[in-house]
């Protein structure tokens, strides 16, 4: 175990430098990518740029491929022509050299017959020098002449020439014979009687760099019958100039073709992209509410038909939206009128019901129970009527926000005190956390209290007799109140649907508290009216948590919430704790004190229930708000307007 412990310590020490380098590497990568971000954004958003770029790339590829093919063909043609011309030139020279040797030999034989053998043979050195000079004079700048004598004159295995000046190598115009003629070619010429050729590098002693050339050689005999090798060396100077001219012409033509194709691609894509961009701008204006915007259509092509179809779609959309707005306006007016008209008969029915309810003791049990049911249903009907009036104000944009600096602790305590009877009936207790310090915000106390009352009552009703925790926190210009229960919870996807009007997770579940089904819908509108959020989290069988986040100062924007939407005691977080990634012990929840207050006596329940502890003041959480997580994403957010009388709704 000690060895294993030491090994883990060593591995951790070795890993620590890498952990320290990772942020530096990430910073360097971000710094390097920063200058490229505008170009990358332009590349992603500009279709015309991408089409032109791809066209240019493909054009460059085609031009390069075509250039390689053409240059290869031209090069092969030049080489073939050069080889044929050189072969003809060298063949004629070899014939002339052999004829000169034959004539010299015959002349020598005649001289020997006339004067006797004392005259001696022809000087081979003089004859070879004359041969080289005579042949080189006819091909000045076109070819060079080289002679080698096999065995003694030619290059040895180390590339060195023989010291025999009589039969040594010879070359015209300062050419280096041994360095120019490859040894492999001289050996092959020495073994064969025909003419052989090989590509080589022409080297001279005038300081010029070596040049590519074609060497053609043949083994011949001089007038004395001694064999020697005669080479014609043809440089490729003219062919290189011709090939360079072809390359330059192809490069110029290729650049012109690429630029021309890029311009053509830009013009063609412009004809297609411009109407698309126009359609995008018109669509943005339509989305902004300017339904009268239309595309300018010219011609009868596909783009014109697309524009006409777009305009027809916009026209139909405008008509449908206008119809829906008229219908919605009629519905809101109808709800408002009905709600107002129902007040008078409801008041009359309420007065009669109160009289009947007060005298229920004189009735038989059936009539007495009917009087109680009538009273309860009238209470619920009044609540429903009030909620409908409030919803109609939000729909009409006539909701008024009366913001003032308030201490949210007082609002929470009033709500908790009012919910104490319901908590006692349910066997639950409500604990307040985070009220050790003031939580001040500019808000409408009536609306905040209504939101909290809905959240606390729903938590008690769906808490299955377990505890409910109300938590307050403030940080970074925001205040948050979270209501946590440990009841049935929410299934996946219900966290946003729970704010829909008249929605219930279990339609068969009775509303024991007489709810109208509009409480959370009104609550989320109240939160939006403050410029805040109302969000929900839950897991099946693990309870739920509703979090309201408001700006500390009215009119400010929210950047995050001081309370995490998912509580620390969720199953996922408990799994992290069990795996050793976090450590949060559980202790019995206090009844009162320690910065919190609890109500409800919890009859019929254990006094030592375990509730995960929560700090009284939450640390700042600078997490950015995710609009996709907001309830009712994409719905209308009610703005703040001047006060409107209730009779005008």
């Amino acid at each position: 175990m000690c060895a294993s412990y030491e090994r883990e310590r060593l591995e951790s020490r070795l890993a620590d430098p890498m952990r320290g380098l990772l942020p530096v590497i990430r910073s360097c990568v971000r710094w390097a990518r920063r200058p490229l971000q505008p170009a990358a954004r332009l590349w992603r958003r500009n279709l015309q740029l991408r089409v032109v770029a791809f066209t240019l790339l493909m054009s460059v590829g085609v031009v390069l491929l075509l250039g390689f093919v053409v240059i290869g063909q031209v090069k092969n043609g030049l080489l073939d022509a050069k080889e044929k011309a050189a072969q003809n030139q060298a063949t004629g020279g070899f014939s002339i050299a052999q004829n000169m040797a034959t004539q010299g030999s015959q002349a020598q034989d005649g001289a020997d017959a006339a004067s006797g053998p004392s005259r001696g043979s022809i000087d081979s050195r003089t004859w070879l020098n004359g041969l080289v000079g005579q042949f080189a004079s006819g091909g000045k700048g076109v070819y060079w002449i080289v002679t080698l004598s096999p065995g003694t004159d030619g290059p040895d295995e180390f590339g060195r020439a023989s010291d025999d000046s009589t039969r040594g190598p010879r070359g015209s115009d300062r050419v280096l014979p041994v360095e120019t003629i490859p040894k492999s070619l001289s050996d092959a010429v020495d073994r064969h009687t025909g003419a052989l050729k090989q590509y080589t590098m022409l080297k001279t002693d005038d300081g010029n760099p070596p040049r590519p050339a074609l060497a053609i050689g043949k083994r011949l005999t001089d007038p004395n019958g001694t064999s020697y090798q005669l080479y014609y060396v043809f440089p490729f100077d003219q062919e290189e100039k011709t090939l360079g001219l072809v390359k330059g012409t192809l490069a110029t033509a290729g650049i012109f073709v690429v630029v021309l194709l890029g311009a053509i691609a830009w013009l063609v894509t412009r004809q297609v992209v411009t109407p698309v961009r126009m359609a995008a701008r018109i669509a943005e204006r339509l989305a902004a509410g300017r339904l009268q915007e239309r595309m300018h259509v010219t011609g009868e092509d596909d783009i014109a038909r697309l524009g006409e179809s777009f305009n027809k779609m916009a026209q139909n959309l405008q008509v449908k939206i206008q119809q829906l707005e008229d219908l919605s306006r009629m519905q809101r007016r109808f709800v408002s009128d009905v709600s107002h008209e129902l007040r008078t008969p409801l008041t009359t029915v309420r007065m009669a019901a109160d009289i009947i309810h007060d005298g229920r003791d004189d009735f038989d049990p059936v009539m007495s129970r009917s009087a109680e049911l009538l009273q309860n249903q009238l209470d619920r009907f009044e609540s429903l009527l009030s909620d409908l009036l409030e919803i109609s104000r939000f729909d009409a944009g006539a909701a008024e926000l009366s913001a003032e600096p308030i201490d949210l602790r007082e609002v929470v305590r009033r709500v908790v005190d009012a919910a104490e009877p319901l908590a006692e009936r349910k066997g639950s207790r409500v604990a307040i956390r985070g009220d050790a310090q003031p939580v001040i915000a500019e808000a409408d106390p009536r609306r905040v209290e209504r939101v909290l009352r809905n959240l606390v009552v729903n938590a008690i009703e769906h808490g299955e007799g377990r505890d409910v925790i109300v938590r307050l926190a403030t940080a970074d210009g925001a205040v948050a109140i979270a209501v946590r229960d440990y009841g049935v919870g929410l299934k996946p996807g219900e966290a946003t649907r729970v704010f829909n009007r008249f929605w219930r997770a279990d339609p068969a579940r009775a509303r024991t508290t007489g709810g109208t089904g509009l409480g959370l819908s009104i609550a989320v509108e109240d939160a939006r009216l403050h410029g805040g959020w109302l969000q929900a989290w839950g897991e099946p069988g693990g309870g739920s948590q509703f979090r309201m986040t408001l700006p500390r100062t009215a009119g400010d924007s929210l950047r995050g919430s001081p309370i995490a939407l998912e509580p620390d005691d969720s199953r996922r977080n408990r799994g992290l704790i069990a795996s050793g990634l976090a450590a949060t012990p559980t202790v019995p929840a206090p009844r009162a004190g320690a910065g919190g207050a609890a109500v409800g006596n919890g009859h019929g329940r254990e006094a030592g229930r375990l509730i995960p502890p929560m700090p009284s003041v939450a640390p700042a959480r600078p997490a950015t708000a995710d609009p996709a997580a907001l309830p009712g994403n994409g719905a209308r957010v009610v703005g703040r307007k001047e006060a409107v009388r209730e009779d005008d709704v």
Side-chain angles (χ1 to χ4, degrees):
M1 293 181 61
C2 293
S4 176
Y5 176 70
E6 292 295 334
R7 181 178 179 182
E8 291 179 358
R9 289 184 58 188
L10 180 60
E11 291 178 353
S12 63
R13 289 178 180 177
L14 293 176
D16 286 338
M18 294 303 298
R19 295 196 189 100
L21 288 176
L22 287 178
V24 178
I25 295 174
R26 294 193 187 99
S27 300
C28 293
V29 171
R30 287 195 296 267
W31 179 80
R33 292 174 57 185
R34 189 175 302 168
L36 302 177
Q37 289 179 354
R41 189 180 303 110
L42 179 63
W43 175 264
R44 291 194 304 267
R45 300 182 61 180
N46 198 318
L47 176 62
Q48 187 175 7
L49 176 62
R50 293 201 302 271
V51 172
V52 173
F54 284 131
T55 303
L56 290 177
L57 289 177
M58 290 186 291
S59 302
V60 169
V62 171
V63 169
L64 289 177
L65 180 61
L66 182 62
F68 287 142
V69 173
V70 171
I71 291 175
Q73 294 294 331
V74 172
K75 182 178 180 181
N76 293 334
L78 292 175
L79 290 177
D80 292 341
K82 185 69 173 180
E83 288 182 2
K84 291 180 180 179
Q87 190 80 27
N88 296 332
Q89 183 74 31
T91 301
F94 294 151
S95 300
I96 294 174
Q98 191 61 44
N99 292 334
M100 291 174 61
T102 302
Q103 293 175 1
S105 177
Q106 293 175 355
Q108 179 64 28
D109 292 341
D112 290 343
S115 60
S118 61
R119 293 291 303 272
S121 62
I122 297 177
D123 186 5
S124 297
R125 181 179 61 181
T126 304
W127 187 85
L128 287 176
N129 290 336
L131 177 67
V132 171
Q134 182 179 355
F135 280 17
S137 62
K140 191 72 173 179
V142 179
Y143 57 84
W144 277 258
I145 300 298
V146 173
T147 61
L148 297 177
S149 297
T152 57
D153 313 345
D156 57 14
E157 58 181 351
F158 301 102
R160 295 174 300 186
S162 173
D163 293 336
D164 188 353
S165 60
T166 301
R167 303 179 61 195
R170 293 169 176 81
S172 63
D173 296 336
R174 309 187 69 174
V175 67
L176 299 175
V178 177
E179 289 78 1
T180 300
I181 304 302
K183 190 174 186 303
S184 58
L185 177 60
S186 63
D187 294 340
V189 170
D190 193 27
R191 293 191 301 267
H192 297 79
T193 59
L196 299 178
K197 61 184 177 181
Q198 183 176 340
Y199 292 103
T200 183
M201 297 298 295
L202 176 63
K203 300 178 181 178
T204 58
D205 59 357
D206 55 0
N208 293 326
R211 292 173 288 174
L214 175 65
I216 302 177
K218 187 177 182 180
R219 180 164 55 87
L220 303 173
T221 58
D222 59 9
N224 296 325
T226 305
S227 64
Y228 71 96
Q229 298 176 358
L230 178 62
Y231 294 93
Y232 277 79
V233 181
F234 298 89
F236 292 107
D237 296 343
Q238 189 64 34
E239 286 72 18
E240 284 188 344
K241 292 180 181 178
T242 303
L243 191 60
L245 179 61
V246 172
K247 290 181 179 178
T249 304
L250 287 177
T252 304
I255 294 174
F256 177 75
V257 169
V258 169
V259 173
L260 182 61
L261 290 177
I264 293 174
W266 184 80
L267 292 175
V268 172
T269 54
R270 180 181 177 84
Q271 295 181 359
V272 178
V273 172
T274 300
V276 174
R277 290 176 179 172
M278 184 186 302
R281 289 194 295 266
I282 298 300
E284 291 175 356
R285 295 171 186 172
L286 291 175
R290 299 168 61 180
L291 302 179
Q292 71 280 1
E293 293 289 338
R294 297 294 184 270
M295 289 184 61
H296 178 66
V297 179
T298 57
E300 299 179 356
D301 54 6
D302 296 335
I303 299 298
R305 290 198 298 270
L306 175 62
E308 293 176 356
S309 301
F310 186 89
N311 290 338
K312 291 180 181 179
M313 179 191 67
Q315 180 66 28
N316 294 333
L317 183 63
Q318 182 181 9
V319 173
K320 293 296 183 182
I321 291 178
Q322 188 65 38
Q323 292 177 354
L324 291 175
E325 288 181 350
D326 295 340
L327 179 60
S328 177
R329 190 180 302 107
M330 292 175 58
Q331 289 177 344
R332 290 196 300 268
R333 188 66 184 178
F334 174 77
V335 172
S336 178
D337 294 342
V338 169
S339 300
H340 281 288
E341 293 299 329
L342 286 177
R343 283 185 174 274
T344 301
L346 180 60
T347 302
T348 304
V349 174
R350 164 62 70 182
M351 294 174 58
D354 290 340
I355 295 174
I356 295 174
H357 187 268
D358 293 339
R360 68 183 183 280
D361 294 336
D362 300 332
F363 302 151
D364 58 86
V366 177
M367 294 296 295
S368 178
R369 178 58 178 167
S370 299
E372 293 177 356
L373 292 176
L374 178 62
Q375 187 73 13
N376 293 335
Q377 293 303 315
L378 281 174
D379 292 338
R380 183 181 178 187
F381 186 61
E382 284 185 342
S383 299
L384 178 60
L385 187 59
S386 299
D387 290 345
L388 287 175
L389 285 172
E390 191 68 26
I391 285 292
S392 64
R393 293 190 187 96
F394 283 115
D395 291 340
E400 177 187 1
L401 181 68
S402 300
E404 61 183 42
I406 59 173
D407 190 349
L408 295 181
R409 297 180 302 171
E410 301 298 330
V411 180
V412 171
R413 287 166 183 163
R414 287 199 302 269
V415 172
V416 171
D417 291 340
E420 181 178 357
L422 178 61
E424 290 180 352
R425 290 198 305 269
K426 291 290 185 177
S428 301
R429 57 181 180 179
V430 183
I432 303 176
R433 302 289 177 85
D435 61 341
Q437 298 179 359
V439 183
I440 307 299
E442 292 183 2
D444 190 335
R446 179 180 66 87
R447 296 184 183 278
V448 173
E449 183 174 351
R450 180 167 59 190
V451 173
L452 293 179
R453 183 168 59 250
N454 273 289
L455 299 182
V456 172
V457 170
N458 286 340
I460 295 174
E461 181 180 0
H462 298 86
E464 301 294 329
R466 298 181 178 89
D467 295 345
V468 175
I469 299 176
V470 181
R471 183 182 176 192
L472 297 91
T474 176
D476 291 341
V479 296
I481 303 175
V483 180
R484 173 78 162 105
D485 68 80
Y486 298 88
V488 295
L490 296 174
K491 298 178 182 178
E494 293 182 350
T496 54
R497 296 171 57 195
V498 72
F499 297 99
N500 296 341
R501 299 175 183 180
F502 300 106
W503 183 86
R504 283 188 292 176
D506 185 6
R509 186 182 181 90
R511 299 188 186 274
T512 58
T513 57
T516 62
L518 296 174
L520 290 179
S521 300
I522 297 175
V524 73
E525 294 290 352
D526 284 332
R528 289 173 177 172
L529 191 61
H530 286 82
W533 308 331
L534 181 58
Q535 298 164 279
W537 168 91
E539 56 186 7
S544 60
Q545 176 166 291
F546 287 77
R547 181 188 68 182
M548 180 177 64
T549 308
L550 303 177
R552 186 183 300 173
T553 303
D556 289 350
S557 299
L558 291 176
R559 298 185 301 272
S561 179
I563 300 178
L565 183 59
E566 181 178 355
D568 297 335
D569 55 354
S570 64
R571 291 196 186 100
R572 187 176 68 89
N573 290 333
R574 290 201 303 268
L576 296 177
I577 295 173
S579 62
L581 298 179
T584 304
T586 58
V587 297
R591 293 289 295 177
V599 299
N601 52 17
H603 295 302
R605 298 182 55 82
E606 299 179 5
R609 287 175 294 180
L610 298 182
I611 301 178
M614 297 184 184
S616 58
V617 179
R621 300 177 64 91
T624 303
D626 182 9
L630 299 179
N633 182 33
R636 174 187 53 81
V637 177
V638 179
R640 299 168 189 165
K641 297 184 178 181
E642 298 295 332
V644 179
R645 293 182 305 167
E646 184 177 338
D647 296 338
D648 296 334
V649 179

